[in-house]
Amino acid sequence: MDLIETSRLILRSLTLDDALKVEEYASDYDVAKTTLNIPHPYPEGGAREFITSILEAERNGKIAIFAITKKEDNSLIGLINITGY
């Protein structure tokens, strides 16, 4: 997947290297309560499983997911996905 850049952000492919930060965010109750798919408490290691399943779905053309990072330091600040039906 290509990068998408703005003046402040980069949208890039999600990788297993993002798992710790994804797990940190997903473990936050205030984040989990605003979604239908994030369990609380979030299971340890759950982000690796999530990312692995997302990468498989991308290979099968079922979803496109982007890691949203700050351009200044490449820190992960969120995810966005596009699902086609």
Side-chain angles (χ1 to χ4, degrees):
M1 168 182 330
D2 293 330
L3 294 178
I4 299 173
E5 292 188 44
T6 71
S7 60
R8 296 180 305 135
L9 302 173
I10 296 174
L11 277 64
R12 60 164 174 77
S13 296
L14 185 63
T15 70
L16 286 173
D17 291 338
D18 297 313
L20 288 177
K21 197 57 143 171
V22 169
E23 195 161 308
E24 176 187 331
Y25 290 146
S27 295
D28 184 322
Y29 175 73
D30 288 330
V31 172
K33 75 179 182 181
T34 65
T35 72
L36 296 174
N37 299 322
I38 298 177
H40 189 78
Y42 197 77
E44 188 173 327
R48 288 189 68 80
E49 286 182 34
F50 166 73
I51 293 170
T52 300
S53 69
I54 288 299
L55 295 176
E56 179 66 25
E58 278 190 325
R59 281 190 290 276
N60 293 327
K62 296 182 179 181
I63 195 170
I65 192 161
F66 295 90
I68 306 168
T69 62
K70 291 182 185 178
K71 196 171 199 174
E72 65 190 40
D73 62 5
N74 200 36
S75 60
L76 181 72
I77 59 172
L79 306 175
I80 186 167
N81 72 59
I82 302 167
T83 306
Y85 291 98

Coordinates of all heavy atoms in Angstrom, one line a residue:
M1 N 0.8 -1.2 0.0 CA 0.0 0.0 0.0 C 0.9 1.2 0.0 O 1.9 1.3 0.7 CB -0.9 -0.1 1.2 CG -1.6 1.2 1.6 SD -2.6 1.1 3.1 CE -3.1 -0.6 3.2
D2 N 0.5 2.2 -0.8 CA 1.3 3.5 -0.8 C 1.0 4.3 0.4 O 0.0 4.1 1.1 CB 0.9 4.3 -2.1 CG 1.3 3.6 -3.3 OD1 2.3 2.9 -3.3 OD2 0.6 3.8 -4.3
L3 N 1.9 5.2 0.6 CA 1.8 6.2 1.7 C 0.8 7.3 1.2 O 0.8 7.7 0.1 CB 3.1 6.9 2.1 CG 4.2 6.0 2.7 CD1 5.4 6.9 2.9 CD2 3.7 5.4 4.0
I4 N 0.1 7.8 2.2 CA -0.7 9.0 1.9 C -0.2 10.1 2.9 O -0.1 9.8 4.1 CB -2.2 8.8 2.2 CG1 -2.7 7.7 1.2 CG2 -3.0 10.1 2.0 CD1 -4.1 7.3 1.4
E5 N 0.2 11.2 2.4 CA 0.8 12.2 3.3 C 0.0 13.5 3.2 O -0.5 13.9 2.2 CB 2.2 12.6 2.8 CG 3.2 11.4 3.1 CD 4.6 11.8 2.8 OE1 5.1 12.9 3.2 OE2 5.3 11.1 2.2
T6 N -0.1 14.2 4.4 CA -0.6 15.5 4.5 C 0.5 16.4 5.0 O 1.6 15.9 5.3 CB -1.8 15.6 5.4 OG1 -1.4 15.5 6.7 CG2 -2.9 14.6 5.0
S7 N 0.3 17.6 5.3 CA 1.3 18.5 5.9 C 1.7 18.0 7.3 O 2.8 18.3 7.7 CB 0.9 19.9 5.9 OG -0.3 20.1 6.7
R8 N 0.8 17.3 8.0 CA 1.1 16.9 9.4 C 1.1 15.4 9.6 O 1.6 14.9 10.6 CB 0.1 17.6 10.4 CG 0.2 19.1 10.4 CD -0.8 19.7 11.4 NE -2.2 19.3 11.1 CZ -3.1 18.8 12.0 NH1 -2.8 18.8 13.3 NH2 -4.3 18.5 11.6
L9 N 0.4 14.7 8.7 CA 0.2 13.2 9.0 C 0.7 12.4 7.8 O 0.8 12.8 6.7 CB -1.3 13.0 9.2 CG -2.0 13.7 10.3 CD1 -3.5 13.4 10.2 CD2 -1.5 13.3 11.6
I10 N 1.0 11.1 8.2 CA 1.3 10.1 7.2 C 0.3 8.9 7.5 O 0.2 8.5 8.6 CB 2.7 9.6 7.3 CG1 3.7 10.7 6.9 CG2 2.9 8.4 6.3 CD1 5.2 10.4 7.1
L11 N -0.4 8.5 6.4 CA -1.2 7.2 6.5 C -0.3 6.2 5.8 O 0.1 6.3 4.7 CB -2.5 7.4 5.8 CG -3.6 8.1 6.7 CD1 -3.3 9.5 7.0 CD2 -4.9 8.0 6.0
R12 N -0.1 5.1 6.5 CA 0.8 4.0 6.0 C 0.2 2.7 6.4 O -0.7 2.6 7.2 CB 2.2 4.2 6.6 CG 2.3 4.1 8.1 CD 3.7 3.9 8.6 NE 3.8 3.9 10.1 CZ 3.4 2.9 10.9 NH1 2.8 1.8 10.4 NH2 3.5 3.1 12.2
S13 N 0.8 1.6 5.9 CA 0.4 0.3 6.2 C 0.6 0.0 7.7 O 1.6 0.4 8.3 CB 1.2 -0.7 5.4 OG 1.0 -0.6 4.0
L14 N -0.3 -0.7 8.3 CA -0.2 -1.2 9.6 C 0.8 -2.4 9.7 O 0.8 -3.2 8.7 CB -1.6 -1.6 10.1 CG -1.7 -2.0 11.6 CD1 -1.5 -0.9 12.5 CD2 -3.2 -2.6 11.8
T15 N 1.6 -2.4 10.7 CA 2.6 -3.5 10.8 C 2.5 -4.1 12.2 O 2.0 -3.5 13.2 CB 4.0 -3.1 10.5 OG1 4.5 -2.3 11.6 CG2 4.1 -2.3 9.2
L16 N 3.1 -5.3 12.4 CA 3.2 -5.9 13.7 C 4.0 -5.0 14.7 O 3.8 -5.1 15.9 CB 3.7 -7.3 13.7 CG 2.8 -8.3 13.1 CD1 3.4 -9.7 12.9 CD2 1.5 -8.5 14.0
D17 N 4.9 -4.2 14.2 CA 5.6 -3.2 15.0 C 4.7 -2.2 15.7 O 5.1 -1.6 16.7 CB 6.7 -2.5 14.2 CG 7.8 -3.4 13.7 OD1 8.0 -4.5 14.3 OD2 8.5 -3.0 12.7
D18 N 3.5 -2.1 15.2 CA 2.6 -1.1 15.8 C 1.8 -1.8 17.0 O 1.0 -1.1 17.7 CB 1.6 -0.7 14.8 CG 2.2 0.1 13.7 OD1 3.0 1.0 14.0 OD2 1.9 -0.2 12.5
A19 N 2.0 -3.0 17.3 CA 1.1 -3.8 18.2 C 1.1 -3.2 19.6 O 0.1 -3.1 20.2 CB 1.5 -5.2 18.3
L20 N 2.3 -2.8 20.1 CA 2.3 -2.3 21.5 C 1.5 -1.0 21.6 O 0.7 -0.8 22.6 CB 3.7 -2.0 22.0 CG 4.6 -3.3 22.3 CD1 6.0 -2.9 22.6 CD2 3.9 -4.1 23.4
K21 N 1.6 -0.1 20.7 CA 0.9 1.2 20.7 C -0.6 0.9 20.5 O -1.5 1.5 21.2 CB 1.4 2.1 19.7 CG 1.0 3.6 19.9 CD 1.4 4.0 21.3 CE 1.9 5.4 21.4 NZ 2.1 5.9 22.8
V22 N -1.0 0.0 19.6 CA -2.4 -0.3 19.4 C -3.0 -0.9 20.6 O -4.1 -0.5 21.1 CB -2.5 -1.3 18.2 CG1 -4.0 -1.9 18.1 CG2 -2.2 -0.7 16.9
E23 N -2.2 -1.8 21.3 CA -2.7 -2.4 22.5 C -2.9 -1.3 23.6 O -3.8 -1.3 24.4 CB -1.8 -3.5 23.0 CG -2.4 -4.4 24.1 CD -1.7 -5.7 24.2 OE1 -1.5 -6.4 23.1 OE2 -1.3 -6.0 25.3
E24 N -1.9 -0.4 23.7 CA -2.0 0.7 24.7 C -3.3 1.5 24.5 O -4.1 1.7 25.4 CB -0.8 1.6 24.6 CG -0.9 2.8 25.5 CD 0.2 3.8 25.2 OE1 1.3 3.4 24.7 OE2 0.0 5.0 25.4
Y25 N -3.6 1.9 23.2 CA -4.8 2.7 23.0 C -6.1 1.8 23.2 O -7.0 2.3 23.8 CB -4.8 3.2 21.5 CG -3.8 4.3 21.3 CD1 -3.2 4.3 20.0 CD2 -3.4 5.2 22.2 CE1 -2.2 5.3 19.8 CE2 -2.5 6.2 22.0 CZ -1.9 6.3 20.7 OH -1.0 7.2 20.5
A26 N -6.1 0.6 22.7 CA -7.3 -0.2 22.8 C -7.6 -0.6 24.3 O -8.7 -0.9 24.6 CB -7.1 -1.5 22.0
S27 N -6.6 -0.6 25.1 CA -6.8 -0.9 26.6 C -7.4 0.2 27.3 O -7.8 0.0 28.5 CB -5.4 -1.2 27.2 OG -4.9 -2.4 26.7
D28 N -7.5 1.4 26.7 CA -8.1 2.6 27.4 C -9.6 2.5 27.4 O -10.2 2.4 26.3 CB -7.6 3.8 26.7 CG -8.1 5.1 27.3 OD1 -9.2 5.2 27.8 OD2 -7.3 6.1 27.3
Y29 N -10.2 2.4 28.5 CA -11.7 2.3 28.6 C -12.4 3.3 27.8 O -13.4 3.0 27.1 CB -12.2 2.3 30.0 CG -13.7 2.3 30.1 CD1 -14.4 1.1 29.8 CD2 -14.4 3.4 30.4 CE1 -15.7 1.1 29.9 CE2 -15.8 3.4 30.5 CZ -16.4 2.2 30.2 OH -17.8 2.2 30.3
D30 N -11.9 4.6 27.8 CA -12.6 5.6 27.1 C -12.5 5.4 25.6 O -13.4 5.9 24.8 CB -12.0 7.0 27.4 CG -12.3 7.4 28.8 OD1 -13.4 7.1 29.3 OD2 -11.5 8.2 29.5
V31 N -11.5 4.7 25.1 CA -11.5 4.4 23.7 C -12.4 3.2 23.4 O -13.2 3.3 22.5 CB -10.0 4.0 23.2 CG1 -10.0 3.5 21.8 CG2 -9.1 5.3 23.3
A32 N -12.3 2.2 24.2 CA -13.1 1.0 24.0 C -14.6 1.2 24.0 O -15.4 0.7 23.3 CB -12.7 -0.1 25.0
K33 N -15.0 2.1 24.9 CA -16.5 2.3 25.1 C -17.1 3.0 23.9 O -18.3 3.0 23.7 CB -16.8 3.1 26.4 CG -16.4 4.6 26.3 CD -16.8 5.3 27.6 CE -16.5 6.8 27.5 NZ -16.7 7.4 28.8
T34 N -16.3 3.6 23.0 CA -16.8 4.3 21.8 C -16.9 3.4 20.6 O -17.2 3.9 19.5 CB -16.0 5.5 21.5 OG1 -14.7 5.1 21.1 CG2 -16.0 6.5 22.7
T35 N -16.5 2.1 20.7 CA -16.5 1.2 19.6 C -17.4 0.0 19.9 O -17.7 -0.3 21.0 CB -15.1 0.7 19.3 OG1 -14.7 -0.2 20.3 CG2 -14.1 1.9 19.2
L36 N -17.7 -0.7 18.8 CA -18.4 -2.0 18.9 C -17.5 -3.2 19.0 O -17.9 -4.2 19.5 CB -19.3 -2.2 17.7 CG -20.5 -1.1 17.6 CD1 -21.2 -1.4 16.3 CD2 -21.4 -1.2 18.8
N37 N -16.2 -3.0 18.6 CA -15.4 -4.2 18.4 C -14.2 -4.3 19.3 O -13.4 -5.3 19.3 CB -14.8 -4.2 17.0 CG -15.9 -4.3 16.0 OD1 -16.9 -5.0 16.2 ND2 -15.8 -3.6 14.9
I38 N -14.0 -3.3 20.2 CA -12.8 -3.4 21.1 C -13.3 -3.9 22.5 O -14.1 -3.2 23.1 CB -12.1 -2.0 21.3 CG1 -11.6 -1.6 20.0 CG2 -11.0 -2.1 22.3 CD1 -10.9 -0.2 20.0
P39 N -12.9 -5.1 22.9 CA -13.3 -5.6 24.2 C -12.6 -4.8 25.4 O -11.5 -4.3 25.2 CB -12.8 -7.0 24.2 CG -11.7 -7.1 23.3 CD -12.0 -6.0 22.3
H40 N -13.2 -4.8 26.5 CA -12.6 -4.2 27.7 C -12.8 -5.1 28.9 O -14.0 -5.5 29.1 CB -13.1 -2.8 28.0 CG -12.3 -2.1 29.1 ND1 -11.1 -1.5 28.8 CD2 -12.5 -1.9 30.4 CE1 -10.6 -1.1 29.9 NE2 -11.4 -1.3 30.9
P41 N -11.8 -5.5 29.6 CA -10.4 -5.2 29.3 C -9.9 -5.8 28.1 O -10.3 -6.9 27.7 CB -9.7 -5.7 30.6 CG -10.6 -6.8 31.1 CD -12.0 -6.4 30.7
Y42 N -8.9 -5.1 27.4 CA -8.3 -5.6 26.2 C -7.3 -6.7 26.6 O -6.5 -6.5 27.4 CB -7.6 -4.5 25.5 CG -7.3 -4.8 24.0 CD1 -8.3 -4.7 23.1 CD2 -6.1 -5.1 23.6 CE1 -8.1 -5.0 21.7 CE2 -5.8 -5.4 22.3 CZ -6.8 -5.3 21.4 OH -6.5 -5.6 20.1
P43 N -7.4 -7.8 25.9 CA -6.5 -8.9 26.3 C -5.0 -8.7 25.9 O -4.8 -8.1 24.8 CB -7.0 -10.1 25.5 CG -7.8 -9.5 24.3 CD -8.3 -8.2 24.8
E44 N -4.1 -9.0 26.8 CA -2.7 -8.9 26.5 C -2.4 -9.7 25.2 O -2.8 -10.9 25.1 CB -1.9 -9.4 27.7 CG -0.4 -9.1 27.5 CD 0.4 -9.5 28.8 OE1 -0.2 -9.3 29.9 OE2 1.5 -9.9 28.6
G45 N -1.7 -9.2 24.3 CA -1.4 -9.8 23.1 C -2.4 -9.7 22.0 O -2.3 -10.2 20.9
G46 N -3.5 -9.1 22.4 CA -4.7 -9.0 21.5 C -4.4 -8.2 20.2 O -4.9 -8.4 19.1
A47 N -3.5 -7.2 20.3 CA -3.2 -6.3 19.2 C -2.4 -7.1 18.1 O -2.7 -6.9 16.9 CB -2.4 -5.1 19.6
R48 N -1.6 -8.0 18.5 CA -0.8 -8.8 17.5 C -1.8 -9.7 16.8 O -1.7 -9.8 15.5 CB 0.2 -9.7 18.2 CG 1.4 -8.9 18.7 CD 2.6 -9.8 19.1 NE 3.2 -10.5 18.1 CZ 4.1 -10.0 17.2 NH1 4.5 -8.7 17.3 NH2 4.6 -10.7 16.3
E49 N -2.8 -10.3 17.5 CA -3.8 -11.1 16.8 C -4.6 -10.2 15.9 O -4.9 -10.6 14.7 CB -4.7 -11.8 17.8 CG -4.1 -12.9 18.5 CD -5.1 -13.6 19.5 OE1 -6.3 -13.6 19.2 OE2 -4.6 -14.0 20.5
F50 N -5.0 -9.0 16.3 CA -5.8 -8.1 15.5 C -5.1 -7.7 14.3 O -5.6 -7.8 13.2 CB -6.2 -6.9 16.4 CG -6.7 -5.7 15.6 CD1 -8.0 -5.7 15.0 CD2 -5.9 -4.6 15.3 CE1 -8.4 -4.7 14.3 CE2 -6.3 -3.5 14.6 CZ -7.6 -3.6 14.1
I51 N -3.8 -7.3 14.4 CA -3.0 -6.9 13.3 C -2.8 -8.0 12.3 O -3.0 -7.9 11.1 CB -1.7 -6.3 13.7 CG1 -2.0 -4.9 14.4 CG2 -0.8 -6.0 12.5 CD1 -0.8 -4.3 15.1
T52 N -2.6 -9.2 12.8 CA -2.4 -10.4 11.9 C -3.7 -10.6 11.1 O -3.6 -10.9 9.9 CB -2.0 -11.6 12.7 OG1 -0.8 -11.4 13.4 CG2 -1.8 -12.9 11.9
S53 N -4.8 -10.6 11.8 CA -6.1 -10.8 11.0 C -6.4 -9.7 10.0 O -6.9 -10.0 8.9 CB -7.2 -11.0 12.0 OG -7.5 -9.7 12.7
I54 N -6.0 -8.5 10.4 CA -6.2 -7.4 9.5 C -5.3 -7.5 8.2 O -5.8 -7.3 7.1 CB -5.9 -6.0 10.2 CG1 -7.1 -5.7 11.2 CG2 -5.8 -4.9 9.2 CD1 -8.4 -5.5 10.6
L55 N -4.1 -7.9 8.4 CA -3.2 -8.0 7.3 C -3.7 -9.2 6.4 O -3.6 -9.0 5.1 CB -1.8 -8.3 7.8 CG -1.1 -7.1 8.6 CD1 0.3 -7.6 9.1 CD2 -1.0 -5.9 7.7
E56 N -4.2 -10.2 6.9 CA -4.8 -11.3 6.1 C -6.0 -10.8 5.3 O -6.1 -11.1 4.1 CB -5.2 -12.5 7.0 CG -5.8 -13.7 6.3 CD -4.8 -14.3 5.3 OE1 -3.6 -14.3 5.5 OE2 -5.3 -14.9 4.3
A57 N -6.9 -10.0 6.0 CA -8.0 -9.5 5.3 C -7.6 -8.6 4.2 O -8.3 -8.5 3.1 CB -8.9 -8.8 6.3
E58 N -6.6 -7.8 4.4 CA -6.1 -6.9 3.3 C -5.6 -7.7 2.1 O -5.8 -7.4 1.0 CB -4.9 -6.0 3.8 CG -5.4 -4.8 4.6 CD -4.3 -3.8 4.9 OE1 -3.1 -4.3 5.1 OE2 -4.6 -2.6 4.8
R59 N -4.8 -8.8 2.4 CA -4.3 -9.6 1.3 C -5.5 -10.2 0.5 O -5.4 -10.5 -0.7 CB -3.5 -10.8 1.9 CG -2.1 -10.3 2.2 CD -1.1 -11.5 2.5 NE -1.5 -12.2 3.8 CZ -1.0 -11.8 5.0 NH1 -0.3 -10.7 5.1 NH2 -1.4 -12.4 6.1
N60 N -6.6 -10.5 1.2 CA -7.8 -11.0 0.5 C -8.7 -9.9 -0.1 O -9.8 -10.2 -0.6 CB -8.6 -11.9 1.5 CG -7.8 -13.1 1.8 OD1 -7.0 -13.7 1.1 ND2 -8.0 -13.6 3.1
G61 N -8.3 -8.7 0.0 CA -9.1 -7.6 -0.6 C -10.3 -7.2 0.1 O -11.2 -6.6 -0.4
K62 N -10.4 -7.6 1.4 CA -11.7 -7.4 2.2 C -11.7 -6.0 2.9 O -12.7 -5.6 3.4 CB -11.9 -8.5 3.1 CG -12.2 -9.8 2.4 CD -12.5 -10.9 3.4 CE -12.7 -12.2 2.6 NZ -13.0 -13.3 3.5
I63 N -10.5 -5.5 3.1 CA -10.4 -4.2 3.9 C -9.1 -3.5 3.5 O -8.2 -4.1 3.0 CB -10.4 -4.6 5.4 CG1 -10.6 -3.4 6.3 CG2 -9.1 -5.3 5.8 CD1 -10.8 -3.7 7.8
A64 N -9.1 -2.2 3.8 CA -7.9 -1.4 3.7 C -7.8 -0.7 5.0 O -8.7 0.0 5.4 CB -8.0 -0.4 2.5
I65 N -6.7 -0.8 5.6 CA -6.5 -0.2 6.9 C -5.2 0.6 6.9 O -4.2 0.2 6.3 CB -6.5 -1.2 8.1 CG1 -6.6 -0.4 9.4 CG2 -5.3 -2.1 8.0 CD1 -7.0 -1.3 10.6
F66 N -5.2 1.8 7.5 CA -4.1 2.6 7.5 C -3.7 3.0 9.0 O -4.6 3.2 9.8 CB -4.3 4.0 6.8 CG -4.6 3.8 5.3 CD1 -5.9 3.6 4.9 CD2 -3.5 3.9 4.4 CE1 -6.1 3.5 3.5 CE2 -3.8 3.8 3.1 CZ -5.0 3.6 2.6
A67 N -2.4 3.0 9.3 CA -1.9 3.5 10.5 C -1.8 5.0 10.3 O -1.2 5.5 9.3 CB -0.6 2.9 10.8
I68 N -2.3 5.8 11.2 CA -2.2 7.3 11.2 C -1.0 7.7 12.1 O -1.0 7.4 13.3 CB -3.5 7.9 11.6 CG1 -4.7 7.4 10.9 CG2 -3.4 9.5 11.5 CD1 -6.0 7.8 11.5
T69 N 0.0 8.3 11.5 CA 1.1 8.7 12.3 C 1.4 10.2 12.1 O 1.1 10.8 11.1 CB 2.4 7.9 11.8 OG1 2.7 8.2 10.5 CG2 2.2 6.4 12.0
K70 N 2.0 10.8 13.1 CA 2.5 12.1 13.0 C 3.7 12.2 12.1 O 4.6 11.4 12.3 CB 2.9 12.7 14.4 CG 1.7 12.9 15.4 CD 2.3 13.4 16.7 CE 1.2 13.5 17.7 NZ 1.8 14.1 19.0
K71 N 3.7 13.1 11.2 CA 4.8 13.3 10.3 C 6.1 13.6 11.0 O 7.2 13.2 10.6 CB 4.4 14.3 9.2 CG 5.3 14.3 8.0 CD 4.7 15.2 6.9 CE 5.3 14.8 5.6 NZ 4.6 15.6 4.5
E72 N 6.0 14.5 12.0 CA 7.2 15.0 12.7 C 8.0 13.9 13.4 O 9.2 14.0 13.4 CB 6.8 16.0 13.7 CG 6.0 15.5 14.9 CD 5.4 16.6 15.7 OE1 5.0 17.6 15.2 OE2 5.4 16.4 17.0
D73 N 7.4 12.8 13.9 CA 8.1 11.8 14.6 C 7.7 10.4 14.3 O 8.1 9.4 15.0 CB 8.1 12.1 16.1 CG 6.7 12.0 16.7 OD1 5.7 11.7 16.0 OD2 6.6 12.3 17.9
N74 N 6.8 10.2 13.4 CA 6.2 8.9 13.0 C 5.5 8.2 14.1 O 5.4 6.9 14.0 CB 7.4 8.0 12.3 CG 6.8 6.9 11.5 OD1 5.8 7.1 10.8 ND2 7.4 5.8 11.5
S75 N 5.1 8.9 15.1 CA 4.4 8.2 16.2 C 2.9 7.9 15.8 O 2.2 8.7 15.2 CB 4.4 9.1 17.5 OG 3.7 10.3 17.2
L76 N 2.5 6.7 16.1 CA 1.2 6.2 15.8 C 0.2 6.9 16.7 O 0.3 6.9 17.9 CB 1.1 4.7 16.1 CG -0.2 4.0 15.7 CD1 -0.4 3.9 14.2 CD2 -0.3 2.6 16.4
I77 N -0.9 7.5 16.0 CA -1.9 8.1 16.8 C -3.3 7.5 16.6 O -4.2 7.9 17.2 CB -1.9 9.7 16.5 CG1 -2.2 10.0 15.1 CG2 -0.6 10.3 17.1 CD1 -2.4 11.4 14.8
G78 N -3.4 6.6 15.6 CA -4.7 6.0 15.4 C -4.7 5.1 14.2 O -3.7 4.9 13.5
L79 N -5.9 4.6 13.9 CA -6.1 3.7 12.7 C -7.3 4.2 12.0 O -8.3 4.7 12.6 CB -6.3 2.2 13.1 CG -5.2 1.6 14.0 CD1 -5.7 0.2 14.4 CD2 -3.9 1.5 13.3
I80 N -7.4 3.9 10.7 CA -8.6 4.1 9.9 C -8.7 3.0 9.0 O -7.7 2.5 8.4 CB -8.6 5.5 9.2 CG1 -9.9 5.8 8.6 CG2 -7.4 5.6 8.3 CD1 -10.1 7.2 8.1
N81 N -9.9 2.5 8.8 CA -10.1 1.4 7.8 C -11.3 1.7 6.8 O -12.2 2.5 7.2 CB -10.3 0.1 8.5 CG -11.6 -0.1 9.1 OD1 -12.6 0.0 8.5 ND2 -11.6 -0.4 10.4
I82 N -11.2 1.1 5.7 CA -12.2 1.2 4.7 C -12.6 -0.2 4.3 O -11.7 -1.1 4.0 CB -11.6 1.9 3.4 CG1 -11.1 3.3 3.8 CG2 -12.7 2.0 2.3 CD1 -10.3 3.9 2.7
T83 N -13.9 -0.5 4.5 CA -14.4 -1.8 4.2 C -15.3 -1.7 3.0 O -16.2 -0.9 3.0 CB -15.1 -2.4 5.4 OG1 -14.3 -2.3 6.5 CG2 -15.5 -3.8 5.2
G84 N -15.2 -2.6 2.0 CA -16.1 -2.6 0.9 C -17.0 -3.8 1.0 O -16.7 -4.8 1.5
Y85 N -18.3 -3.6 0.6 CA -19.3 -4.7 0.6 C -19.8 -4.9 -0.8 O -19.9 -4.1 -1.6 CB -20.4 -4.3 1.5 CG -20.0 -4.3 2.9 CD1 -19.7 -3.1 3.6 CD2 -20.0 -5.5 3.6 CE1 -19.3 -3.1 4.9 CE2 -19.6 -5.5 5.0 CZ -19.3 -4.3 5.6 OH -18.9 -4.3 6.9

